[in-house]
Amino acid sequence: MSLDELKTKIRTYLKNHDTMVLATVAAGGRPQAAPVFYCEIGFDLYFMSDPDSDHCLNLARNPWAAATVTDDGQNWTEIQGLQLEGMAGQVADPILKARAMTSYLAKFPFAAPLLVKNSGAFQKTGKARLYRFRPGRISMTDNRVAFGHREEFLLNESEEGI
């Protein structure tokens, strides 16, 4: 498979899924993982989370992270998924934030009322902030091709999420 075909396959896979398990480094070097909903802009994954959550506190100390996006299943010959390594942190740029929030709310319209300050749900979600996970390396495992079949590539700094 060519690199362009692999990138298209990965973008399609990301678009057709909505949850990643984000792995961060906790104090003392311990691993910590948390599932989060994401939207994608190219290969960049955006998620909403409470800055006081363990994974966000970990990212504030150390932005290196890993993530997986995969299907559930009971048949090892059907395993397919992504493993991503990169950096993550809170989105500060207002233009990027607006673009990502538009994408996030398009993918998760149920979240819109949760972010409205006058809603009762806002009491629980009001601290949520937008974060970006920017992978530098993406691997795709596809046991449907062959057991342990894996293809990967490194992203350029210019390969943002467009």
Side-chain angles (χ1 to χ4, degrees):
M1 172 180 310
S2 75
L3 181 57
D4 286 341
E5 290 171 325
L6 177 60
K7 287 179 178 182
T8 298
K9 186 175 181 180
I10 289 171
R11 282 189 175 112
T12 300
Y13 193 86
L14 288 170
K15 184 176 184 168
N16 290 326
H17 291 78
D18 57 21
T19 306
M20 71 171 157
V21 176
L22 180 69
T24 58
V25 181
R30 295 176 298 106
Q32 195 270 331
V36 295
F37 286 131
Y38 72 85
C39 73
E40 72 289 338
I41 299 177
F43 298 111
D44 290 349
L45 306 181
Y46 294 86
F47 61 97
M48 297 289 295
S49 201
D50 183 335
D52 293 327
S53 65
D54 288 342
H55 56 279
C56 290
L57 291 171
N58 294 342
L59 290 173
R61 282 189 298 271
N62 181 348
W64 286 103
T68 61
V69 178
T70 188
D71 293 323
D72 286 336
Q74 298 296 314
N75 184 343
W76 64 268
T77 62
E78 296 293 317
I79 291 173
Q80 186 181 42
L82 301 176
Q83 302 86 45
L84 307 102
E85 299 171 13
M87 299 184 74
Q90 205 172 129
V91 177
D93 179 82
I95 294 171
L96 181 58
K97 189 182 290 188
R99 182 173 172 225
M101 282 304 298
T102 299
S103 179
Y104 191 88
L105 293 174
K107 191 167 186 174
F108 306 109
F110 67 84
L114 302 175
L115 302 174
V116 176
K117 288 191 181 194
N118 294 331
S119 74
F122 185 78
Q123 299 303 318
K124 288 191 174 257
T125 60
K127 290 175 59 180
R129 299 291 178 264
L130 183 68
Y131 288 79
R132 174 175 68 176
F133 175 70
R134 172 170 262 192
R137 173 193 225 162
I138 301 177
S139 300
M140 181 165 213
T141 298
D142 192 345
N143 281 4
R144 296 174 307 166
V145 175
F147 180 74
H149 179 80
R150 183 175 166 145
E151 296 180 72
E152 69 179 39
F153 69 96
L154 302 176
L155 274 77
N156 301 327
E157 279 295 314
S158 63
E159 276 187 283
E160 196 231 343
I162 297 175

